Amino acid sequence: MAQHVFHLKAHWPGGRNDSGTIETKNLQTTVSIPPEMDGPGIGTNPDEMLLGAAATCYIITLAAMLERSKIEKIDLTMESEGIVDVTNGVITYQKIIHRPVVTIKHDPSKDISTILQKLAIKAEHSCMISRALKGNVEVDTILTIKKR
């Protein structure tokens, strides 16, 4: 069994509506509460970082699955959105929606749409971050296939 340990340093010198910093091996950034939640909106925020972790984990997992399946893609892009509900002062990260777009070469003799759909769903269930969120945050995938 292999175990990987990741480290993060955080510094928060003020109160709720101030800003702080986080630092990892390859990332240094300012963080605060977003303006949508009555914060100052300085730098990024935990909501964007959770979305970023889920999105990057998913797209890397999907790319690896496409490669292992020997599906030659021209391009792979994605937009993701995080939906956060605030009810009676309780903030709940409800849902993440990934919208990957896989561009492949048009080959009228092959229809790999079904395989691509299966891989898109499998990547969602295989991604480490999606698995960590399971039971707490719903994660959906809406795949678009483009042929050139």
Side-chain angles (χ1 to χ4, degrees), residues 19-20 29-35 40-46 48-49:
S19 64
T29 192
T30 302
V31 293
S32 72
I33 296 172
I42 300 168
T44 189
N45 59 69
E48 288 176 341
M49 289 190 298

Side-chain angles (χ1 to χ4, degrees), residues 83-146:
I83 300 166
V84 176
D85 177 70
V86 181
T87 302
N88 298 325
V90 177
I91 302 167
T92 304
Y93 213 116
Q94 285 188 320
K95 186 175 193 175
I96 292 174
I97 304 168
H98 299 306
R99 291 185 174 85
V101 177
V102 179
T103 304
I104 57 173
K105 289 183 183 177
H106 178 63
D107 184 348
S109 67
K110 287 189 208 174
D111 183 14
I112 61 169
S113 300
T114 303
I115 294 168
L116 289 172
Q117 273 302 342
K118 286 180 181 178
L119 290 175
I121 303 292
K122 187 176 180 181
E124 177 188 311
H125 296 292
S126 300
C127 165
M128 172 181 69
I129 302 299
S130 293
R131 289 192 331 262
L133 297 173
K134 191 174 183 169
N136 293 306
V137 178
E138 182 182 347
V139 181
D140 285 336
T141 300
I142 303 167
L143 175 66
T144 300
I145 301 167
K146 291 185 178 181

Side-chain angles (χ1 to χ4, degrees), residues 62 66 71-77 100-104 116 143-147:
L62 180 57
L66 293 171
I71 295 174
E72 293 184 39
K73 64 177 173 52
I74 295 171
D75 200 13
L76 174 59
T77 61
V101 177
V102 179
T103 304
I104 57 173
L116 289 172
L143 175 66
T144 300
I145 301 167
K146 291 185 178 181
K147 297 178 183 178

